Amino acid sequence: MLSLLAEITGSIHVAVAALGSAIGVGMIGAKAADAIGRNPGAAGDIRNAAIIFAALAEGIIFFAIFLVKG
């Protein structure tokens, strides 16, 4: 029973990291769309920044997965 509990708690932080990353990417996309709507001339710069920030937010889940395996 104790080993099952240890396995479950080891996976909880991966689930929380995945949830946080998904929320973060959603917020980045929403704010980028809002910013492009307010200033269409800067669409290229905003889009590039949003892609970079979304990749950084998604990178958090990889750290969580590697910590589980380690």
Side-chain angles (χ1 to χ4, degrees):
M1 183 68 175
L2 192 57
S3 63
L4 178 63
L5 183 61
E7 187 174 334
I8 291 173
T9 57
S11 300
I12 288 175
H13 76 279
V14 175
V16 172
L19 181 64
S21 293
I23 291 170
V25 170
M27 289 177 65
I28 291 168
K31 295 298 183 176
D34 184 42
I36 290 172
R38 283 186 279 125
N39 189 3
D45 293 334
I46 295 168
R47 183 180 51 245
N48 291 340
I51 290 170
I52 291 170
F53 291 138
L56 290 173
E58 288 180 1
I60 293 171
I61 189 66
F62 293 115
F63 288 122
I65 291 171
F66 290 137
L67 286 175
V68 167
K69 301 298 180 190

